[in-house]
Amino acid sequence: MNNSNQFSSLYNQCSLNVQGYKAFPTQCASIPYYGHLYFGDKKDLILPNQQDKLEKVVEYLSSSRHKYQQFLRQKGRYPSLDIYACFQPFNEAFKAFYPFINLIKASVKDGDVIVNLWDRSGWTANFLAGLFPKQHIITVWEGDKDILGYRGFDYWMSPLRQTNQTVLFADFLRPLPIEDGIAAAVIGFDLLHRFHQPELLSDINRIAQPDAPVIFPHVHLTNNMPEPFFERGCRQLHGNDYQHLFDTLSKTTNRKGYIFSEPFLFNWNDKSLELEMKAQSEPAHTDYNACIAWLPKGEIVLEAWRGHLEPGWEKMYLLQNPLLEINNSSKTIELNERSFDNTLLSFLDRHPVYANRIKETIGSSVTTQVIEVLYWSKHGLPLCDIIQKTGVTKEEMIQMLQKFWDMDLAQAVPVNEAGFRLQTLLGQQQYILERSEDNLQAFWKQSVNFYGQQQWVQVAGEEGLTYDQADELIELLKKALTAQGLKKGDRLLLCTGLHTETLLLFWAAVSIGIVVIPISPKESPYRIKAFIDSLKPSFALVDPGLLDTFSGAGCNSVIMTDLIADPLYKEETSFQTWLELSMVKEVQVDVIDPLYNDVAVILWTTGSTGNPKGIPLTHQQLIRSGRLMTETYHWKKNDRYYALGGLEAMSGLRHATVSVAEAGACCVIPNKHETIFDHLDTIIQEKISIITGNPVFFRQLLLSAKGKLNNKSIRLALCTGNQLSAELRASWKKDTGIHMYNYYGLTETSGICIAEPLKSEIIHKDSIGIPIDSLIKIIDENGQTVENEQVGELCIYGEGVFNGYYENEEATNNALKDGWFYTKDMAIQHKDGTISLCGRISNMVKLPTGERVDISAIEETLVNLKQLKDWAVCVISKEEKEDIGVFFVPEDGTQYKEQTDIIKELIRSKIGQYAVPALIQPVNFIPRGNHNKVLHKQLIDQYFQNIKIK
């Protein structure tokens, strides 16, 4: 136990677990402490046996830390905005403190203590900690109540996140358990009128050094009354009364009292061209709120403080005003009534000074560049990183920051990462992962801590694994991979169906920084060899039927999945045997977490025959995509997700790995080669609650179910991949009783970027939803943004957008421009912000099986086929389904079936079975127009017309 009589002796303790009692002999009292938290609200006599009280506090906090972090991660699902906590950084009351910042800086020395009284939200504490990094901040709050309470102060002010903060819980109606003369400055926001003033001021005078500035921002006065009137509460005195008090105290202290108008200080600091003024008390001003300062005697000069004009502003964060929002469709600034329901206007009625401050801001237009800067600021990037992300110069950023300040749209603030994250949580109800959480190793361990006993994975009809059991196996696999010689940055190929061992190996690999590359087991031997030659993987896990293909293609380190029933299964090259042999080797796994921006996976589009396009995604992007899915659609720990897709597809990868782990859900893997009727039986028997699929799957499921799905376990149906018809939506709702939600995303956007939120109303029948944590624009052929309700190409911007194709600069330059991804999808943005798809300008087809195939890959395969006079490759769309069709004119004397078989085999061998067209049809001629261009629509219409005639 440490019973030091000096708070300062514990200031620099960085352990969460230091604990004991601190004695205050002059108060005959002692208080328990635990880490950076001092529990003055549990103050008692100095007694020999006080362990019970301390042990209860320690047990409460240590046992609830994971629960609190879990609560934070899901806070956005259930927004509960405290408008005063949201608004505090922009509040006229708080900004009236700004003119005293430089005064305090000039008066404190390194190692001094600044006492921050009655801070309910932590904003003042974090602001002061950033302003005064070489001083120590003691923040005093009432106890385990209000916005943060014990758990919030424990997490946000932890030595892991703040190096110069201590939190003291205390009863403000009793002497504060703080030593005499310890404070070099005292700030008491919204405090002076709130508690019994004689004891409060006496106590502050006791703990403050003789020349310490004492600032009371926001004090209620009777100099005037609000109009329209509202009751403000607490004790209200006239400014002259306070002036009399402090004039009297000046005779026995080294300080003098100043009564300032709060609106005056706020407006002067925000707007004045004069950046200095001599301090003059004006106790008889006509405003009903004051900022009262008890300052050292002598001439006092106040200086305006504006973050963006301070040295080192590039390291600050850009905090957005939560009362304002930008309508990205019209590019204008609006009041954020959407977030605050009907409370915002009445709030501004009570803050006429501030309402006047932003009056001219409402309706102002902003540029796309401004929207991009504010997008990154909301994601927790400091200004130096935003400059790098957006490409703006420092000079342009300074001009932009001045404009933000003038409009009070945003301000540069000197808080650290934790301080910004906390205020973003309070103001935007958005939890930003801290950097230490934003890699898949830390992410998985967090899930195990949260959900250890929950079931993690299960093959339908078999026993499953819990998160704890899976983690034990993943630790063994990390050792096995290390024993295999793999290290951070090496590449692991997965060419399997979805199996338990595939998921285990994925988590083991990414946890030690290995790049995982899933490819479809349907790929052709030709393509597999191309992948191996290009990627040079250090290791591969494949299904039994592919072992010889991989070995023959030059992949020497390859094992097979444990599909014992497969006739090609060989125990000596199996996953199980490899793991057992690896355990014999003594290896040490270096626990070095991957970085957030390290590449975690590389996914592939079909691309052209010899050059498929690889899409590297980072740890942060994959985590973000999984969390976007779970937070948009509220996945829960008791959910059972039906894993239809493989890891080679973005949705299959995200859902089965990150989304499941984020929510603590269970990934249920179907048995191999299931028919739609088998899927139906499994969904019912395994009590599946979440299904994601394309429209074709849902339509087939409905046809096979014949009413069996109604009132079953399914609570969430998520559709993606192709156009979702209004008819299918209605049929699903009628037969199951639940709504089907549509979402949109591409691998290049890390998946989900547009979605229909829960309980959203579908106004437009072809809607795919609204942007989800992304920016969109719709452009014409000249690259200019089109008006609402106009068709153009859909472009996506944001944290999820990839950085470029793997070793393919030309394709990257065609797809990415100034950070915007050009999707080649045609779309319309409606006036309500929703987006509808209306065609493509690309050759990419999303097949019913989920694979994406570039038409050019088929064309390049057929180009040298001499047995054909003419041919054309078309996209055939029917209802929600897209397929590939090949129409050909055979050479004279050749057989139709022979030609069809040649085409099938050629595509199968060069690309893969999945790319074989659903339709291969001989025709008499291929219709062509100007420049010999194939008239695809005429060709397809002609085919369907012939079918009708027959």
Side-chain angles (χ1 to χ4, degrees):
M1 290 284 178
N2 188 334
N3 289 308
S4 168
N5 286 327
Q6 291 296 321
F7 256 125
S8 54
S9 67
L10 293 175
Y11 284 161
N12 296 319
Q13 295 282 1
C14 292
S15 171
L16 291 173
N17 301 315
V18 175
Q19 55 184 275
Y21 271 83
K22 175 172 171 51
F24 294 86
T26 58
Q27 297 183 23
C28 305
S30 66
I31 63 172
Y33 64 84
Y34 179 43
H36 58 294
L37 306 180
Y38 287 75
F39 299 92
D41 54 339
K42 300 185 182 299
K43 183 166 65 173
D44 203 346
L45 292 172
I46 304 173
L47 300 172
N49 298 310
Q50 299 178 300
Q51 285 301 103
D52 288 351
K53 200 176 291 185
L54 176 59
E55 288 174 357
K56 287 179 181 177
V57 169
V58 171
E59 171 62 23
Y60 170 69
L61 287 174
S62 60
S63 65
S64 63
R65 279 175 177 149
H66 290 316
K67 293 179 182 177
Y68 184 73
Q69 287 178 272
Q70 192 175 350
F71 158 79
L72 292 176
R73 292 170 82 102
Q74 297 182 353
K75 183 70 177 70
R77 299 184 181 189
Y78 313 105
S80 176
L81 290 161
D82 181 314
I83 196 166
Y84 282 95
C86 295
F87 176 52
Q88 185 176 348
F90 296 86
N91 194 332
E92 64 269 29
F94 185 78
K95 290 175 84 173
F97 164 68
Y98 283 11
F100 301 94
I101 289 173
N102 288 330
L103 175 70
I104 298 174
K105 282 188 174 185
S107 69
V108 296
K109 303 183 295 296
D110 290 359
D112 275 349
V113 169
I114 297 173
V115 175
N116 167 38
L117 297 171
W118 208 78
D119 186 357
R120 61 191 287 262
S121 72
W123 170 251
T124 308
N126 288 317
F127 190 77
L128 292 173
L131 281 173
F132 302 99
K134 295 182 179 181
Q135 287 71 41
H136 198 92
I137 314 301
I138 299 178
T139 291
V140 188
W141 175 241
E142 294 185 50
D144 192 18
K145 59 191 292 189
D146 217 287
I147 294 172
L148 295 180
Y150 288 171
R151 297 195 304 172
F153 280 106
D154 177 53
Y155 176 83
W156 293 107
M157 308 302 172
S158 161
L160 298 174
R161 297 173 183 87
Q162 302 284 3
T163 58
N164 64 334
Q165 297 236 32
T166 296
V167 179
L168 169 65
F169 301 107
D171 183 347
F172 282 87
L173 296 176
R174 299 179 180 181
L176 296 172
I178 301 177
E179 284 85 357
D180 296 359
I182 197 174
V186 179
I187 294 92
F189 180 83
D190 198 13
L191 172 77
L192 186 55
H193 52 259
R194 191 171 290 279
F195 298 101
H196 194 234
Q197 293 161 316
E199 280 78 5
L200 179 65
L201 282 169
S202 175
D203 220 26
I204 290 172
N205 190 50
R206 174 183 65 80
I207 67 174
Q209 296 172 8
D211 57 351
V214 179
I215 318 294
F216 297 109
H218 194 61
V219 180
H220 294 174
L221 299 182
T222 59
N223 291 31
N224 210 331
M225 290 296 163
E227 187 176 339
F229 177 80
F230 61 89
E231 185 56 59
R232 291 174 292 152
C234 305
R235 189 181 191 194
Q236 298 169 31
L237 299 175
H238 195 280
N240 287 332
D241 295 331
Y242 280 115
Q243 190 67 63
H244 175 79
L245 167 68
F246 288 109
D247 285 348
T248 303
L249 294 177
S250 69
K251 299 173 184 176
T252 56
T253 68
N254 193 38
R255 282 187 290 269
K256 177 182 176 182
Y258 294 81
I259 318 300
F260 297 100
S261 158
E262 178 180 284
F264 169 75
L265 281 183
F266 166 68
N267 284 317
W268 177 78
N269 187 82
D270 262 24
K271 299 179 180 179
S272 176
L273 298 177
E274 299 292 331
L275 301 182
E276 292 185 359
M277 71 172 177
K278 182 179 178 181
Q280 292 183 326
S281 184
E282 295 186 22
H285 64 74
T286 58
D287 294 307
Y288 52 81
N289 288 323
C291 179
I292 294 180
W294 200 10
L295 304 176
K297 290 178 181 176
E299 183 173 283
I300 300 293
V301 176
L302 303 181
E303 299 177 24
W305 188 91
R306 299 164 189 176
H308 60 286
L309 300 181
E310 291 295 304
W313 61 266
E314 304 99 319
K315 296 180 181 179
M316 294 186 185
Y317 289 85
L318 183 60
L319 186 67
Q320 295 183 46
N321 188 339
L323 303 192
L324 301 172
E325 67 175 349
I326 294 176
N327 183 323
N328 290 333
S329 178
S330 64
K331 294 184 181 178
T332 56
I333 301 171
E334 301 174 348
L335 280 176
N336 188 10
E337 295 183 73
R338 174 180 53 85
S339 295
F340 293 98
D341 299 323
N342 298 320
T343 62
L344 183 52
L345 293 178
S346 59
F347 176 83
L348 290 174
D349 283 342
R350 298 177 66 153
H351 289 259
V353 173
Y354 192 76
N356 188 60
R357 172 73 173 84
I358 60 172
K359 181 173 61 177
E360 294 182 5
T361 299
I362 308 302
S364 299
S365 298
V366 295
T367 64
T368 298
Q369 190 176 61
V370 164
I371 293 173
E372 291 173 7
V373 166
L374 292 177
Y375 174 88
W376 292 113
S377 76
K378 192 177 284 188
H379 286 76
L381 270 65
L383 282 162
C384 54
D385 288 351
I386 296 175
I387 288 172
Q388 187 176 8
K389 276 281 186 185
T390 58
V392 302
T393 65
K394 285 181 67 173
E395 292 71 22
E396 289 171 332
M397 182 60 78
I398 290 173
Q399 293 174 6
M400 201 177 292
L401 293 175
Q402 183 61 53
K403 185 175 181 180
F404 292 159
W405 179 271
D406 292 340
M407 296 191 295
D408 216 30
L409 180 61
Q411 59 172 313
V413 292
V415 297
N416 70 359
E417 178 192 8
F420 184 84
R421 290 172 58 235
L422 172 56
Q423 193 56 38
T424 301
L425 182 75
L426 297 177
Q428 310 287 347
Q429 299 291 281
Q430 173 191 343
Y431 178 74
I432 301 173
L433 293 181
E434 57 187 339
R435 279 286 178 253
S436 62
E437 296 177 289
D438 226 357
N439 69 80
L440 289 164
Q441 152 72 6
F443 179 89
W444 169 257
K445 288 299 184 183
Q446 189 89 290
S447 295
V448 174
N449 287 332
F450 289 166
Y451 310 115
Q453 298 304 308
Q454 292 286 123
Q455 192 173 54
W456 168 63
V457 69
Q458 177 202 346
V459 176
E462 300 178 12
E463 291 291 322
L465 293 174
T466 66
Y467 282 81
D468 280 340
Q469 291 168 336
D471 191 50
E472 290 180 15
L473 291 170
I474 288 167
E475 288 300 316
L476 293 176
L477 285 167
K478 287 159 69 173
K479 290 182 179 179
L481 289 168
T482 303
Q484 189 72 32
L486 273 73
K487 59 187 182 302
K488 182 177 178 180
D490 285 342
R491 293 164 182 171
L492 167 67
L493 262 179
L494 298 177
C495 191
T496 77
L498 190 60
H499 312 299
T500 300
E501 56 266 42
T502 311
L503 291 173
L504 289 167
L505 194 59
F506 166 85
W507 280 111
V510 295
S511 292
I512 56 177
I514 294 170
V515 179
V516 174
I517 305 170
I519 61 175
S520 172
K522 301 174 187 176
E523 293 286 359
S524 69
Y526 176 89
R527 293 282 280 239
I528 288 173
K529 187 175 189 318
F531 278 123
I532 292 171
D533 290 344
S534 171
L535 296 166
K536 298 177 174 55
S538 302
F539 194 57
L541 175 68
V542 304
D543 281 338
L546 292 167
L547 185 71
D548 291 344
T549 300
F550 267 75
S551 299
C555 185
N556 298 321
S557 297
V558 56
I559 58 173
M560 66 172 65
T561 50
D562 290 329
L563 299 179
I564 298 173
D566 192 305
L568 297 175
Y569 173 78
K570 297 176 183 177
E571 184 178 358
E572 62 270 20
T573 54
S574 70
F575 176 86
Q576 181 68 33
T577 300
W578 168 75
L579 182 57
E580 290 172 354
L581 291 174
S582 299
M583 291 302 97
V584 177
K585 304 174 184 177
E586 290 292 331
V587 295
Q588 179 67 39
V589 179
D590 293 329
V591 183
I592 302 174
D593 285 356
L595 299 176
Y596 72 99
N597 56 358
D598 284 343
V599 172
V601 297
I602 303 176
L603 299 179
W604 296 83
T605 63
T606 305
S608 60
T609 304
N611 191 20
K613 292 187 288 189
I615 303 166
L617 298 177
T618 66
H619 285 249
Q620 181 190 45
Q621 287 174 323
L622 194 52
I623 290 171
R624 170 192 170 276
S625 183
R627 293 194 72 239
L628 265 184
M629 175 57 65
T630 60
E631 297 312 289
T632 300
Y633 292 112
H634 295 191
W635 289 35
K636 301 174 183 177
K637 69 178 182 180
N638 292 321
D639 274 326
R640 292 172 64 76
Y641 159 69
Y642 196 48
L644 287 168
L647 298 190
E648 69 275 5
M650 183 66 224
S651 57
L653 173 69
R654 175 188 59 233
H655 295 338
T657 59
V658 180
S659 294
V660 162
E662 171 68 19
C666 177
C667 178
V668 180
I669 301 173
N671 286 315
K672 195 175 180 184
H673 303 312
E674 289 196 338
T675 67
I676 192 65
F677 298 101
D678 295 328
H679 283 307
L680 174 64
D681 289 342
T682 302
I683 287 167
I684 294 172
Q685 291 166 10
E686 295 293 343
K687 298 181 179 178
I688 300 300
S689 60
I690 298 177
I691 305 176
T692 66
N694 60 27
V696 172
F697 175 80
F698 282 112
R699 185 173 292 281
Q700 291 175 345
L701 195 62
L702 279 180
L703 291 172
S704 62
K706 297 179 181 178
K708 292 180 183 178
L709 291 174
N710 199 16
N711 297 321
K712 299 298 179 183
S713 57
I714 302 171
R715 69 171 194 85
L716 198 55
L718 303 174
C719 186
T720 191
N722 294 103
Q723 195 78 15
L724 175 59
S725 68
E727 179 270 328
L728 179 55
R729 285 182 194 270
S731 297
W732 179 265
K733 180 68 180 290
K734 179 182 177 183
D735 284 15
T736 67
I738 65 169
H739 185 68
M740 181 182 290
Y741 292 97
N742 202 4
Y743 73 92
Y744 169 91
L746 302 166
T747 308
E748 289 90 341
T749 64
S750 308
I752 180 172
C753 58
I754 299 171
E756 295 171 345
L758 290 174
K759 300 180 181 178
S760 58
E761 294 184 12
I762 307 302
I763 299 174
H764 305 281
K765 67 175 184 176
D766 297 324
S767 167
I768 55 173
I770 60 175
I772 301 293
D773 193 38
S774 62
L775 303 177
I776 71 104
K777 66 180 179 181
I778 297 176
I779 60 171
D780 61 22
E781 60 273 14
N782 299 315
Q784 300 301 307
T785 303
V786 302
E787 299 292 327
N788 288 337
E789 309 296 342
Q790 299 295 312
V791 177
E793 182 181 358
L794 175 64
C795 303
I796 308 292
Y797 183 93
E799 205 170 27
V801 172
F802 77 135
N803 294 319
Y805 293 108
Y806 175 74
E807 295 185 353
N808 195 331
E809 186 176 351
E810 181 182 355
T812 297
N813 292 336
N814 288 334
L816 277 177
K817 297 172 185 176
D818 297 324
W820 287 85
F821 173 61
Y822 287 54
T823 67
K824 305 297 184 184
D825 282 329
M826 302 300 287
I828 293 173
Q829 183 165 32
H830 305 289
K831 291 179 180 177
D832 61 0
T834 60
I835 297 156
S836 295
L837 294 181
C838 45
R840 285 204 181 104
I841 54 175
S842 75
N843 290 321
M844 193 65 67
V845 179
K846 187 77 174 275
L847 299 175
T849 51
E851 287 90 353
R852 293 168 67 194
V853 178
D854 195 323
I855 291 297
S856 63
I858 309 291
E859 292 173 337
E860 289 177 26
T861 303
L862 300 180
V863 72
N864 295 317
L865 198 59
K866 294 186 167 64
Q867 293 93 332
L868 307 180
K869 277 187 176 179
D870 199 2
W871 52 267
V873 184
C874 300
V875 180
I876 300 175
S877 300
K878 189 174 182 182
E879 295 179 331
E880 304 92 358
K881 181 179 177 182
E882 279 188 345
D883 259 318
I884 300 170
V886 171
F887 298 93
F888 69 94
V889 180
E891 282 286 357
D892 296 337
T894 58
Q895 295 295 316
Y896 154 64
K897 186 177 184 309
E898 179 185 342
Q899 296 300 315
T900 300
D901 290 343
I902 291 172
I903 292 170
K904 285 182 178 179
E905 181 54 34
L906 189 61
I907 294 172
R908 184 183 296 113
S909 64
K910 291 292 185 181
I911 305 176
Q913 176 62 40
Y914 64 91
V916 173
L919 174 69
I920 302 178
Q921 181 68 31
V923 293
N924 294 327
F925 69 97
I926 303 294
R928 294 180 180 271
N930 294 335
H931 308 291
N932 206 35
K933 184 176 180 181
V934 174
L935 302 177
H936 291 93
K937 186 176 185 306
Q938 182 178 328
L939 179 59
I940 294 169
D941 289 348
Q942 177 182 305
Y943 167 73
F944 282 113
Q945 184 64 33
N946 290 338
I947 289 178
K948 286 182 181 179
I949 293 171
K950 291 176 182 178

